[in-house]
């Protein structure tokens, strides 16, 4: 296998390496929280795809908050059932371009696994190139159980308590991936039980700003976007509605060359629900 240009690979790279025995291809599609139709119900898949159940096997069942990280043991077990080995090379895509795939890329990094990349542009990019598709996933019955081992990296995740303790720290910046209207509290939240507004001292960076027609913008474009913030040597915490689009702007920051990056896993689904959290509009 030709070494992929982590964290993104092109449709052409994937086509050229699709039959490599070490490649594990995962579809991690979920419906957008703000979607009003079933546009993500597409039933086409790239050949040899396995389904990464982000809302099921790979979410924590012990909480009512959406999309929360599972325990390392649960993540490890679910990965093994997908046939993921310690020497696997994972490529993740979704059917919306780039939406939920960065979340899964981040999850693997949290679990200490670095041989993972995202298909830039997702399934639409694959189809645009005229490459073949199938109408079913690879069945689990045809998959040999893997030996994946989770090695949890706590520095990649922060809790509400940690956010509360650092939100006034000048060496920390919190970036919010929701729309500007949701950030300001002028647009309703898709979850009606949540308040409007944002975490004090956080800044707005809607995830759509780092994308161009479903693909990630270039490194130079991303560096220009982040240059408008004072990020020198700061710890960056990313948040959004439920921890999905926060990972898109974290991915963008990674490509732009920034380090010390983490995600507030509960995001606004937790902060905007609790009655005693400080909120600005």
């Amino acid at each position: 296998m030709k070494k992929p240009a982590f964290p993104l690979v092109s449709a052409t790279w994937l086509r050229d390496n699709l039959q490599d025995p070490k490649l594990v291809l995962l579809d991690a599609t979920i419906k957008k929280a703000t979607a009003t139709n079933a546009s993500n119900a597409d039933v086409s898949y790239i050949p040899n795809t396995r389904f990464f159940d982000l809302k099921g096997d790979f979410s924590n069942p012990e909480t009512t908050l959406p999309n929360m990280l599972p325990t390392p043991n649960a993540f490890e077990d679910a990965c093994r059932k997908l046939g993921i080995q310690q020497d696997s090379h994972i490529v993740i895509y979704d059917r919306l371009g780039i939406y939920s795939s960065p979340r899964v890329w981040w999850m693997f990094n949290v679990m200490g696994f670095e041989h993972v990349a995202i298909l830039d542009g997702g399934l639409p990019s694959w189809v645009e190139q005229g490459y073949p598709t199938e109408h079913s996933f690879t069945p689990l019955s045809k998959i040999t159980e893997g030996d994946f081992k989770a090695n949890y990296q706590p520095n990649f995740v922060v809790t509400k308590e940690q956010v509360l303790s650092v939100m006034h720290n000048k060496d920390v910046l919190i970036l919010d991936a929701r729309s500007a209207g949701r950030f300001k509290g002028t647009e309703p939240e898709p979850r009606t039980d949540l308040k409007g507004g944002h975490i004090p001292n956080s800044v707005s960076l809607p995830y759509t700003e780092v994308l161009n027609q479903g693909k990630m913008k270039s490194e130079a474009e991303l560096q220009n976007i982040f240059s408008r913030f004072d990020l020198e040597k700061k710890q960056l915490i990313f948040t959004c509605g439920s921890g999905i689009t926060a990972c898109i702007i974290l991915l963008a920051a990674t490509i732009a060359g920034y380090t010390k990056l983490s995600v507030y896993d509960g995001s606004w689904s937790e902060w905007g629900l609790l009655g005693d959290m400080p909120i600005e509009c």
Side-chain angles (χ1 to χ4, degrees), residues 200-220:
N201 293 320
S202 61
V203 298
S204 177
L205 178 57
Y207 76 91
T208 52
E209 288 194 23
V210 304
L211 300 176
N212 181 19
Q213 297 182 334
K215 290 185 176 182
M216 189 61 63
K217 289 183 176 178
S218 70
E219 180 179 340

Side-chain angles (χ1 to χ4, degrees), residues 185-252:
T186 58
E187 292 177 9
E189 287 292 318
R191 298 172 182 86
T192 57
D193 55 346
L194 301 180
K195 304 177 185 71
H198 58 268
I199 298 169
N201 293 320
S202 61
V203 298
S204 177
L205 178 57
Y207 76 91
T208 52
E209 288 194 23
V210 304
L211 300 176
N212 181 19
Q213 297 182 334
K215 290 185 176 182
M216 189 61 63
K217 289 183 176 178
S218 70
E219 180 179 340
E221 289 174 311
L222 296 175
Q223 289 173 341
N224 185 57
I225 289 170
F226 285 102
S227 69
R228 68 178 189 248
F229 306 110
D230 180 18
L231 302 183
E232 186 70 23
K233 297 182 180 180
K234 287 187 177 179
Q235 174 191 353
L236 306 182
I237 297 175
F238 299 87
T239 184
C240 60
S242 64
I244 299 295
T245 60
C247 297
I248 298 176
I249 59 173
L250 182 146
L251 171 65

Side-chain angles (χ1 to χ4, degrees), residues 7-260:
L8 295 175
V9 298
S10 67
T12 300
W13 182 95
L14 181 58
R15 179 205 60 187
D16 292 345
N17 292 276
L18 192 59
Q19 302 304 320
D20 191 286
K22 288 189 176 182
L23 181 72
V24 174
L25 183 60
L26 303 175
D27 180 324
T29 305
I30 62 171
K31 183 179 179 180
K32 287 186 178 182
T34 55
T36 57
N37 55 47
S39 61
N40 68 321
D42 194 308
V43 293
S44 293
Y45 312 102
I46 300 171
N48 301 333
T49 293
R50 307 173 194 186
F51 178 52
F52 188 96
D53 188 2
L54 187 53
K55 291 286 190 179
D57 294 339
F58 289 95
S59 285
N60 190 338
E62 302 300 320
T63 177
T64 58
L65 296 174
N67 311 317
M68 293 291 284
L69 272 172
T71 65
N73 285 342
F75 189 91
E76 181 178 294
D77 289 345
C79 283
R80 290 183 175 191
K81 290 176 183 176
L82 285 176
I84 297 174
Q85 309 285 351
Q86 282 295 90
D87 63 351
S88 292
H89 289 265
I90 299 171
V91 174
I92 310 150
Y93 72 93
D94 61 68
R95 286 166 267 151
L96 299 170
I98 286 184
Y99 182 65
S100 50
S101 49
R103 170 73 181 188
V104 179
W105 166 80
W106 171 77
M107 291 171 73
F108 274 104
N109 279 272
V110 171
M111 299 301 171
F113 192 85
E114 298 180 351
H115 298 296
V116 57
I118 296 163
L119 175 59
D120 196 15
L123 181 65
S125 180
W126 178 269
V127 172
E128 182 181 347
Q129 295 292 329
Y131 299 149
T133 58
E134 295 180 345
H135 294 289
S136 62
F137 293 116
T138 300
L140 290 179
S141 60
K142 292 186 177 181
I143 296 174
T144 301
E145 185 166 319
D147 63 2
F148 178 88
K149 181 67 176 177
N151 180 20
Y152 186 68
Q153 306 294 308
N155 290 340
F156 292 165
V157 190
V158 296
T159 64
K160 68 178 187 296
E161 291 82 8
Q162 290 172 301
V163 173
L164 277 169
S165 70
V166 301
M167 65 185 184
H168 296 295
N169 188 329
K170 293 182 179 180
D171 294 324
V172 178
L173 185 64
I174 303 168
L175 295 100
D176 192 321
R178 295 175 301 156
S179 68
R182 291 172 65 188
F183 181 85
K184 297 174 183 176
T186 58
E187 292 177 9
E189 287 292 318
R191 298 172 182 86
T192 57
D193 55 346
L194 301 180
K195 304 177 185 71
H198 58 268
I199 298 169
N201 293 320
S202 61
V203 298
S204 177
L205 178 57
Y207 76 91
T208 52
E209 288 194 23
V210 304
L211 300 176
N212 181 19
Q213 297 182 334
K215 290 185 176 182
M216 189 61 63
K217 289 183 176 178
S218 70
E219 180 179 340
E221 289 174 311
L222 296 175
Q223 289 173 341
N224 185 57
I225 289 170
F226 285 102
S227 69
R228 68 178 189 248
F229 306 110
D230 180 18
L231 302 183
E232 186 70 23
K233 297 182 180 180
K234 287 187 177 179
Q235 174 191 353
L236 306 182
I237 297 175
F238 299 87
T239 184
C240 60
S242 64
I244 299 295
T245 60
C247 297
I248 298 176
I249 59 173
L250 182 146
L251 171 65
T254 300
I255 294 170
Y258 294 95
T259 57
K260 296 194 294 184

